[in-house]
Structures are given as C-alpha cells and as structure tokens.
C-alpha cells in the first residue's frame, strides 16, 4: 500500500469510526493492517474500537502491540490503561497511565485515570502530586480539582482541600462525590452548618447511602442536634446493624444527654464490634471513670494503651 493510499484509507476508516459505523471501521483498519501490519496508529485505533465494543482481550493485544512499536504514543498508552482497568489489572493499568503521562505530561484523561486508581488504593499522597502536575496544564479541570481535594482530605489536610473542592463544585454543580467530599472537609474544619447544607439534598436523593448518612449524623451531633443525629444513626443501623460509626455516635449522644447506662451499653457494643479499636477502649475507660468504677476504668485504660501505646487520647 502506497503512502497516499494508506492516508486515504486511514482517513476513511477513522471517519467511519467517528461516525459510529464500527463494523465498517474495524474492517477498514484490518485491511490496512494486512498491508502494513506494524502501523502503531492503526493498531491503537483498532484496539480502541475493540475496547468500545467490549472485546477487551483483542483490544489489549492490539494496544500492547501499538505501545511496543511506539512507546511514546500517549493515546495508545492511555487506551491500554483503560482496557487493563476494565480487565481488573489495576497494577498494569497504573503503569500504562504513568507511561501515557511520561509521553505527554499534559494528558489530563490519563492523570484522572491514574489518580482514581491511586485514591482507591489509599495512595493519596502520590495522587495529590499527579493532580498538581496535571493542573499546570489544565488549571480549571474540575475532575482534577475534585480529585486533588479528595487526596488532600485523605492525607489530613482539610484546609488545603477546601479550595479545590469548592472550585470543583462550582464548575460541576451536579457532581455528588465532589459535594460529599466538600461536606466531609467542612466537618473536619468544624463548619457544620455548611456541611449540612451540602448534605441535606444529597441524603434526600440517596436515603440509603451509608457514607452520606454517617457524615450527616456526625455533623448533626457536633452541631448540637442530638435528636436528629440519633434519628440518622437509627437509619444507619437499619441499613447496617453493626455500623460502628453510628453506635459510637449514639454512645456520645447518650453521654451528653446524661444517660450513662445507655452510653455504656453502646460503648460495649462498639468495643465488641471493633475489638482492636483503641478509641472504643478509651471511651469505655472514660465512662467507667465517670461512674467511679475504677477497676473497670483501669482495665479499659490498659486495653486502650495496649492497642495504641503512643495514642495520648487513649490515656485518662
């Protein structure tokens, strides 16, 4: 196939692909590859098409061949990463996303894909670095801003998380996860009114979301609304009877309302469900000290220190 014929055939195949005539496009790509089998851009386009229709193993074969022939092809690396992610090979997907970014540091889609995997794996610090690098090329990309905020929240930097999350919510007002993370940030910053303003419509739209209900219960309890917080906790326990977050909150609410016996009941249940929890043990120690049962208080203090010997909150 001469160069002019190749260019014309590739253009026609791509037009069919873009127009959604996928069978025609696949046939055209394969015809080109029959004449020019080692053409990375066509291998990449065919692999992308096969991924679109769910033929992931075939897609992977073509995309891996494309990046073998041209490792600096950022789009091929990105599409390979997407394919590997769908095949649940997250480690290999991360490597392919990184290769796409090495080839094209401003490849925002690759940055979004890699950051998502890093956050899911608890690697928030690296995720924040990827986001900051991507924002140099796309400073108002809302998904990157949302991911940066989420990563900073995960690394215990709520003050730094607030601005990117607020910007993301402004740019994507219907992005519920960004609003949820902003609400969690506001709770960490003790702006409970702002958190509840964000959470109320989310909970109304998703009344069975444990994460949203837990955030709402925490904000309501901390803002001095124990009855509403208790109702939220009861709803959580209807959905998940052994939810330690809700049980701990009910313990705190009972304690603030002066019902020591009920607080102890909830605290023991939480400790049973979280036997390695130093906070649960420390809470029991504090409750027993309040009722001057010093032997029980010492027992649970020792247990708390055993579980977290460097945790000052475990001491009484």
């Amino acid at each position: 196939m001469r160069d002019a014929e190749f260019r014309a055939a590739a253009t026609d195949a791509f037009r069919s692909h873009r127009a959604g005539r996928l069978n025609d496009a696949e046939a055209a790509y394969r015809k080109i590859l029959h004449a020019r089998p080692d053409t990375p851009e066509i291998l990449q386009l065919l692999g992308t098409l096969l991924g679109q229709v769910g033929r992931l193993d075939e897609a992977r074969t073509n995309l891996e061949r494309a990046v073998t022939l041209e490792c600096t092809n950022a789009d091929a690396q990105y599409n390979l990463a997407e394919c590997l992610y769908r095949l649940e090979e997250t480690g290999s997907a991360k490597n392919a996303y990184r290769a796409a970014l090495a080839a094209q540091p401003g490849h925002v889609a690759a940055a979004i894909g890699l950051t998502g995997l890093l956050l899911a794996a608890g690697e928030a610090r690296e995720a924040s670095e990827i986001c900051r690098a991507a924002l140099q090329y796309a400073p108002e990309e809302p998904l990157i801003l949302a991911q940066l905020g989420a990563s900073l929240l995960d690394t215990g930097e709520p003050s730094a998380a607030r601005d990117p999350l607020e910007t993301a919510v402004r740019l994507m007002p219907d992005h519920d996860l960004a609003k949820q993370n902003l609400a969690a940030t506001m709770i960490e910053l003790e702006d409970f009114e702002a958190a509840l303003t964000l959470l109320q419509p989310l909970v109304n739209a998703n009344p069975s979301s444990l994460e949203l209900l837990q955030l709402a219960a925490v904000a309501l309890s901390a803002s001095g609304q124990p009855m509403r917080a208790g109702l939220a906790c009861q709803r959580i326990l209807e959905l998940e009877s052994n939810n330690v977050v809700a049980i701990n909150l009910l313990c705190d609410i009972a304690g603030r309302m002066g019902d020591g016996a009920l607080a102890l009941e909830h605290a023991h249940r939480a400790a049973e469900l979280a036997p390695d929890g130093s906070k649960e043990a420390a809470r029991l120690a504090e409750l027993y000290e309040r009722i001057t049962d010093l032997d029980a208080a010492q027992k649970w203090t020792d247990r708390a220190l055993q579980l977290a010997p460097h945790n000052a909150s475990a001491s009484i």
Side-chain angles (χ1 to χ4, degrees), residues 248 251-252 260 263-268 270-271 277-307 311-316:
N248 278 328
C251 174
D252 292 340
L264 269 173
E265 179 183 332
H266 288 311
H268 272 289
S278 62
K279 291 182 180 179
E280 283 72 21
R283 181 179 284 107
L284 274 167
E286 180 182 355
L287 289 170
Y288 275 115
E289 186 179 42
R290 287 181 189 175
I291 62 173
T292 64
D293 187 339
L294 299 183
D295 289 341
Q298 187 60 55
K299 168 191 167 183
W300 285 104
T301 297
D302 292 345
R303 177 64 177 160
L305 291 171
Q306 177 187 3
L307 292 167
N311 183 357
S313 68
S315 301
I316 296 179

Side-chain angles (χ1 to χ4, degrees), residues 162-209:
R162 179 175 183 168
D163 183 63
L165 284 169
E166 286 182 333
T167 304
V169 169
R170 175 175 58 80
L171 295 171
M172 300 185 300
D174 295 327
H175 197 283
D176 288 351
L177 183 57
K179 288 189 279 189
Q180 178 178 323
N181 284 328
L182 179 56
T185 297
M186 303 313 288
I187 289 171
E188 291 294 321
L189 295 173
E190 300 185 2
D191 189 342
F192 305 116
E193 182 177 349
L196 289 168
T197 299
L198 287 160
L199 287 167
Q200 190 62 58
L202 294 176
V203 172
N204 289 342
N206 304 277
S208 297
S209 168

Side-chain angles (χ1 to χ4, degrees), residues 41 91 216:
E41 59 267 36

Side-chain angles (χ1 to χ4, degrees), residues 86-101:
R86 292 171 64 191
L87 288 167
E88 300 183 359
E89 297 187 27
T90 55
S92 297
K94 285 182 192 177
N95 291 335
Y97 283 130
R98 289 191 179 99
L101 289 169

